[in-house]
Amino acid sequence: MKNENTIKLYFIWLLLLMFTSIGCTTKNSNTVADEWSQVDIILKRIITPSFPDKDFHITSYGAKGDGITDCTEAFKIAIEDCAKNGGGKVVVPQGTFLTGAIHLKSNVNIHITEKAIVKFSDDKNKYLPLVFSRWEGVECMNYSSFIYAYGQENIAITGKGLLDGQGSNENWWSWKGNKEDGWSEGMPNQKDGRKKLFEMAENNIPPEQRMMGDGYYLRPNFVHFYKSKNILIEGVTFKNSPMWFINPVLCENVSVIGVTVEGLGPNNDGCNPESSKYVLIKDSFFNTGDDCIAIKSGRNNDGRRINIPSENIVIQNCKMKEGHGGVVIGSEISGGVKNVFAENCLMNSPNLDRAIRIKTNSVRGGTIENLFVRNIEVGEVKEAVLTINFFYEEGDGGEFTPSVKNVVLENVTSNKSSYALLIRAYDRSPVTGLKILNCKFRNVKDGNIIENVKSPIIEAVQINDKELILK
């Protein structure tokens, strides 16, 4: 009888142990699943624009697709006529159309047909007069981006054609001031202009008085939409930007779908939502000279002055080839970032430095919270699958301690990297809420660097076919 009772108690203890274990696993799983349920809510809030069924062909306004005729005025008049008549589609037909800056207006969809090429002039005067911009996270008056909008609503760039920025070592890129980008001693570069702009921002000079442009050599972005909403960029191919490719700033309801971004020049970031909310980046390909997707919110004093985060951003089904990082947050991050979801992406190149990257420091500051990543396949990256770096550029040299919390990687696999996890935070501000779940990192050369992470949760994670246990 005593033995029977002992056996019964033993089985009850086993059952309790099993249910406790299952409950713990389910708790983590359910918590992550609850966070991902926000994606449907975010996507329902993203409003893609619709346009009247009216076409305005740029050739009707004097444009010629010979690659020689300046079509700047034809684009301008066609867009104005379209907007004045209630909106519609400004159509770029087959041919090569040379132009300067294109300024979009509300209710206008500029449609680049499949065999059309829009080639942007190398004449820098074609991007004057100066327009209100954010340059590397700092507001100023600068050269117009190639396609620009300020305070507009319901705007789009669509089609299957090519937008060619003609960036090269002979055009725009040498302004960076690097020999590998075409600069040589005695040539102009951006260094003095960049320094002056940042000093004006730190000294609270009003943005309208920060006059850059001619003589300062601050390269414009390709697409720069400012304080606009209901934006669609779909289907087109972008090639060789002077600097960043797609940069919506202080925008809402932005959809970037099925685009191709090709450019290996300096600072050729692919898509940089900045202080923007409700953004979808989907089914797109990035092969870039800098970060493929970089989420930002303003730099230093200027970012804190505006103090608007990027938030509610969804990245789905994208492919990343070359670049400094696949999905990146920072470094112009002073206004913070929250609620970023990236899933079902492929990242693979010996020239892709990192897959998931957060970069900041105590000069930039910022609170970064709620980054959820799942179902990511990494073929090869140079450095690490996940990098969180509080010592970017200026390092710990400021008064604005950054914060990173709630970073979750789930079902992420990689086949080759130097590190799996490379995390360097501050003693006074450790990373919190880090979860790595059901991940496999193969052919990891140097293991991990993990400095100042508080109570990470690691479940079913393998590095080089061995279970990862953090002590």
Side-chain angles (χ1 to χ4, degrees):
M1 195 70 178
K2 184 177 180 181
N3 287 340
E4 286 181 11
N5 288 336
T6 301
I7 291 169
K8 286 178 182 178
L9 287 170
Y10 176 73
F11 278 110
I12 291 169
W13 176 79
L14 277 178
L15 286 169
L16 286 170
L17 185 63
M18 286 172 60
F19 283 123
T20 302
S21 300
I22 291 168
C24 289
T25 304
T26 305
K27 183 180 179 181
N28 268 336
S29 178
N30 286 345
T31 301
V32 175
D34 289 345
E35 300 293 354
W36 277 98
S37 68
Q38 295 179 51
V39 170
D40 288 338
I41 298 170
I42 293 169
L43 294 179
K44 286 176 183 176
R45 287 283 306 271
I46 296 175
I47 303 167
T48 54
S50 59
F51 302 92
D53 188 18
K54 294 185 288 186
D55 290 349
F56 300 79
H57 291 260
I58 62 168
T59 48
S60 299
Y61 298 86
K64 294 182 179 179
D66 56 13
I68 300 171
T69 303
D70 183 357
C71 302
T72 307
E73 191 67 13
F75 275 103
K76 180 176 182 290
I77 297 171
I79 289 168
E80 287 175 350
D81 200 26
C82 179
K84 184 174 64 178
N85 286 281
K89 189 187 297 180
V90 171
V91 179
V92 182
Q94 180 176 344
T96 299
F97 296 87
L98 182 68
T99 185
I102 295 172
H103 288 194
L104 278 183
K105 292 184 177 293
S106 293
N107 304 313
V108 174
N109 171 12
I110 183 166
H111 184 76
I112 320 299
T113 58
E114 187 168 2
K115 295 184 179 180
I117 299 172
V118 179
K119 188 172 285 189
F120 288 88
S121 174
D122 59 6
D123 179 356
K124 311 308 183 280
N125 292 320
K126 294 293 182 183
Y127 308 98
L128 297 174
L130 304 179
V131 299
F132 196 91
S133 308
R134 219 185 212 186
W135 194 88
E136 284 196 3
V138 176
E139 290 188 327
C140 65
M141 304 296 295
N142 194 31
Y143 288 109
S144 174
S145 61
F146 290 172
I147 305 177
Y148 177 81
Y150 185 96
Q152 303 301 306
E153 186 172 345
N154 299 327
I155 54 178
I157 307 167
T158 64
K160 295 184 178 180
L162 171 65
L163 295 151
D164 184 0
Q166 295 201 90
S168 67
N169 286 3
E170 294 72 40
N171 181 37
W172 295 112
W173 293 351
S174 65
W175 287 9
K176 173 72 173 179
N178 293 336
K179 290 184 178 179
E180 61 268 28
D181 300 313
W183 179 84
S184 60
E185 203 67 42
M187 293 176 64
N189 63 64
Q190 69 181 30
K191 293 178 182 179
D192 289 343
R194 185 175 186 263
K195 181 180 178 182
K196 182 176 181 179
L197 174 61
F198 292 169
E199 286 175 351
M200 286 192 288
E202 293 304 308
N203 292 325
N204 295 309
I205 303 298
E208 295 82 0
Q209 297 177 24
R210 303 171 193 169
M211 307 296 290
M212 309 312 289
D214 188 31
Y216 292 98
Y217 306 103
L218 303 185
R219 293 160 292 145
N221 298 331
F222 207 125
V223 176
H224 192 59
F225 293 156
Y226 216 100
K227 292 185 178 178
S228 298
K229 64 181 181 179
N230 302 345
I231 295 164
L232 174 64
I233 303 174
E234 184 173 23
V236 293
T237 295
F238 295 95
K239 181 180 177 182
N240 294 337
S241 179
M243 205 168 102
W244 299 351
F245 277 91
I246 303 169
N247 180 215
V249 178
L250 296 164
C251 290
E252 182 176 353
N253 296 326
V254 180
S255 298
V256 178
I257 301 173
V259 303
T260 297
V261 177
E262 295 261 14
L264 301 180
N267 307 113
N268 268 188
D269 293 41
C271 185
N272 292 1
E274 190 167 5
S275 298
S276 293
K277 60 184 178 181
Y278 295 103
V279 179
L280 172 64
I281 306 169
K282 182 178 179 181
D283 298 333
S284 296
F285 173 78
F286 300 93
N287 186 31
T288 62
D290 209 304
D291 296 320
C292 295
I293 296 171
I295 301 163
K296 301 175 181 292
S297 59
R299 182 185 181 110
N300 300 356
N301 185 54
D302 217 49
R304 288 183 283 273
R305 174 180 63 85
I306 297 169
N307 197 32
I308 293 179
S310 280
E311 59 183 314
N312 300 331
I313 296 173
V314 177
I315 301 163
Q316 296 175 322
N317 309 319
C318 291
K319 293 182 180 179
M320 291 81 167
K321 193 178 177 184
E322 295 192 20
H324 292 181
V327 174
V328 178
I329 296 177
S331 65
E332 295 83 5
I333 199 63
S334 303
V337 166
K338 58 185 177 182
N339 305 336
V340 177
F341 299 84
E343 62 178 340
N344 304 324
C345 294
L346 173 63
M347 308 178 188
N348 183 28
S349 173
N351 295 317
L352 179 63
D353 292 335
R354 310 152 189 94
I356 310 298
R357 181 189 193 191
I358 296 173
K359 49 179 174 175
T360 185
N361 58 43
S362 60
V363 178
R364 311 289 167 90
T367 297
I368 300 163
E369 57 185 327
N370 304 335
L371 169 60
F372 300 96
V373 179
R374 70 180 181 184
N375 304 334
I376 303 293
E377 182 181 345
V378 179
E380 176 180 358
V381 291
K382 271 187 186 177
E383 186 186 79
V385 179
L386 171 65
T387 298
I388 301 175
N389 183 14
F390 282 27
F391 294 88
Y392 182 76
E393 287 192 347
E394 300 96 336
D396 193 6
E399 301 176 356
F400 303 94
T401 299
S403 171
V404 173
K405 50 191 175 183
N406 301 335
V407 176
V408 180
L409 267 63
E410 183 179 14
N411 297 327
V412 175
T413 63
S414 67
N415 290 326
K416 187 177 181 181
S417 61
S418 292
Y419 301 94
L421 312 176
L422 202 171
I423 303 173
R424 299 186 66 217
Y426 300 150
D427 289 341
R428 65 185 182 278
S429 181
V431 173
T432 61
L434 176 68
K435 296 180 183 178
I436 313 292
L437 309 173
N438 193 32
C439 295
K440 291 185 178 181
F441 309 111
R442 303 180 182 91
N443 294 311
V444 178
K445 180 183 175 185
D446 299 313
N448 300 309
I449 294 177
I450 300 175
E451 298 175 2
N452 298 312
V453 178
K454 183 178 181 181
S455 304
I457 293 175
I458 309 293
E459 290 184 359
V461 176
Q462 292 184 356
I463 294 181
N464 297 339
D465 297 321
K466 294 182 180 179
E467 184 180 2
L468 173 62
I469 300 174
L470 296 184
K471 297 180 180 180

